[in-house]
Amino acid sequence: MKPNTLPFLCNPVTHEPLRLVVKPGPEGSSQETLVSVKSGEEFPIRDGIPIFLRDTDVSGSNKKYQELYNHIAPFYDVSMKIAAFLKSGGEEKRRTEYLQQLDIKAGDRVLEVSVGTGGNLRYLPRTAKYFGLDLSWGMLKRCQKNLKARGMETELFLGAAEYLPFDDEAFDVVFHMGGINFFSDKARAIQEMIRVARPSTKLMIVDENEQVAKKLERTPVAGKFYGNRTEMISAPVDLVPAGMHEIKVRDVCNGDLYCLTFRKPQAEGAHRREPALTQRPTWHSTPALQGFGVI
Ligand SMILES: C[S@@+](CC[C@H](N)C(=O)[O-])C[C@H]1O[C@@H](n2cnc3c(N)ncnc32)[C@H](O)[C@@H]1O
């Protein structure tokens, strides 16, 4: 983690500031940890990735998808490549169709919530600074490898979209692609994306439409995850808080995906935001991270 990232990180639940503590590790190594200044809660940094999520923090739908993505991480890039080639004439064409909606200027701080293996980042201008958060350690490690191979410097974080470990208004651009349909708490995730965006920022949320989910639920592997849905998939326009401007939904990539965009207003307090909590919410335990040696 770069030292100039620390000032805009915070405890994802209480929003306390953090300080970096370096402790001696085994065989002359050192272990970096982020420590909450008031409560003393610790978040280790492993392989350069701050870990803002514990086994006990993930439950419900998030747990199911965390396990799925940890398992499919090694095959994700190749399957995306094949799917994009068959459906939309290649990954670059497919991804740039929605990425072109973003307003990225040189020097901007850009956050992708659910960065996955970093598939979107390679099609964005190199003149900005990129930050990616994801629930899956397997996807993040793959992302780190991909970014290194591309010579891209991006800061990665293990965390949940519903509890972002960033200060209010820390980013010039905030976007999400591909996971929100099945987040445990979509409304909270959207409010968090708005909280960490600067006033006037255009936010973008992209995910699969119902027609794609219908096709996937008939396939053997994906069917396990897309079947038994309790509600039809649609762009979460109803979860965009009152006060946002320029709310637009368009279908992209041959109608496979919805692309919801809106702008955070200039005026402070023009939207409802989730208050910081004084303690962690009660979530159920999962062994999902254990296989990856995270915790
Ligand atoms: C289909 S992948 C998309 C990855 C990337 N955005 C892309 O376009 O290739 C969905 C990603 O969402 C992540 N995810 C699912 N639920 C999440 C949550 N609650 N918070 C953060 N990330 C989540 C998964 O781990 C996975 O990496």
Side-chain angles (χ1 to χ4, degrees):
M1 197 192 70
K2 292 202 195 96
N4 54 2
T5 300
L6 183 62
F8 61 89
L9 296 183
C10 67
N11 181 308
V13 175
T14 63
H15 297 176
E16 292 163 72
L18 304 171
R19 66 192 165 87
L20 183 68
V21 173
V22 185
K23 296 177 187 164
E27 295 168 16
S29 64
S30 55
Q31 167 63 54
E32 292 188 326
T33 304
L34 294 165
V35 182
S36 309
V37 292
K38 281 193 214 146
S39 63
E41 187 176 8
E42 297 191 358
F43 303 97
I45 302 178
R46 179 135 334 147
D47 302 341
I49 302 176
I51 296 169
F52 287 106
L53 201 63
R54 302 184 181 151
D55 283 357
T56 47
D57 290 344
V58 192
S59 66
S61 181
N62 278 0
K63 178 182 171 187
K64 181 169 151 183
Y65 285 92
Q66 184 191 52
E67 286 173 353
L68 168 74
Y69 283 104
N70 276 338
H71 282 111
I72 66 170
F75 325 104
Y76 182 81
D77 287 338
V78 69
S79 54
M80 280 302 288
K81 202 180 224 143
I82 295 167
F85 177 74
L86 296 174
K87 288 183 188 170
S88 315
E91 217 175 334
E92 179 167 5
K93 186 164 176 273
R94 188 169 174 89
R95 290 190 185 270
T96 49
E97 199 178 327
Y98 54 84
L99 291 174
Q100 67 189 355
Q101 297 298 328
L102 296 172
D103 296 335
I104 301 180
K105 296 178 287 307
D108 274 356
R109 284 211 293 243
V110 180
L111 172 67
E112 180 171 6
V113 174
S114 306
V115 66
T117 58
N120 290 315
L121 303 183
R122 86 185 94 149
Y123 303 114
L124 294 174
R126 293 278 178 122
T127 49
K129 300 183 200 91
Y130 293 97
F131 301 82
L133 172 135
D134 204 281
L135 192 71
S136 157
W137 181 252
M139 294 292 270
L140 281 178
K141 285 300 290 176
R142 191 74 20 190
C143 184
Q144 198 175 45
K145 200 170 148 196
N146 289 342
L147 295 170
K148 196 171 168 204
R150 285 180 221 140
M152 286 184 76
E153 281 190 14
T154 302
E155 301 256 12
L156 300 176
F157 307 87
L158 182 75
E162 291 90 339
Y163 291 91
L164 295 178
F166 309 113
D167 274 347
D168 294 5
E169 304 178 3
F171 296 99
D172 304 288
V173 176
V174 179
F175 74 100
H176 165 82
M177 155 47 189
I180 195 164
N181 284 344
F182 300 113
F183 280 1
S184 286
D185 191 342
K186 289 182 251 190
R188 183 166 181 116
I190 292 174
Q191 277 151 14
E192 279 290 89
M193 285 186 237
I194 295 168
R195 178 182 69 77
V196 303
R198 291 179 59 185
S200 301
T201 296
K202 183 179 181 185
L203 293 98
M204 180 176 82
I205 294 173
V206 180
D207 208 345
E208 278 148 1
N209 271 322
E210 176 67 20
Q211 65 182 59
V212 176
K214 276 223 159 63
K215 279 185 206 152
L216 288 170
E217 72 189 10
R218 290 195 291 267
T219 64
V221 180
K224 237 171 76 188
F225 295 92
Y226 285 88
N228 304 322
R229 279 174 294 121
T230 50
E231 52 184 48
M232 296 252 293
I233 290 173
S234 61
V237 189
D238 52 330
L239 302 180
V240 176
M244 294 299 122
H245 297 164
E246 301 170 31
I247 302 174
K248 288 190 188 110
V249 182
R250 43 177 81 70
D251 282 344
V252 291
C253 305
N254 306 322
D256 286 353
L257 310 174
Y258 61 76
C259 174
L260 164 65
T261 53
F262 55 93
R263 199 174 288 281
K264 179 171 174 172
Q266 264 294 349
E268 266 187 37
H271 64 281
R272 189 173 91 83
R273 62 188 283 271
E274 290 290 338
L277 305 179
T278 49
Q279 59 183 42
R280 293 193 158 262
T282 318
W283 283 335
H284 304 293
S285 177
T286 171
L289 295 178
Q290 285 161 4
F292 290 86
V294 174
I295 303 291

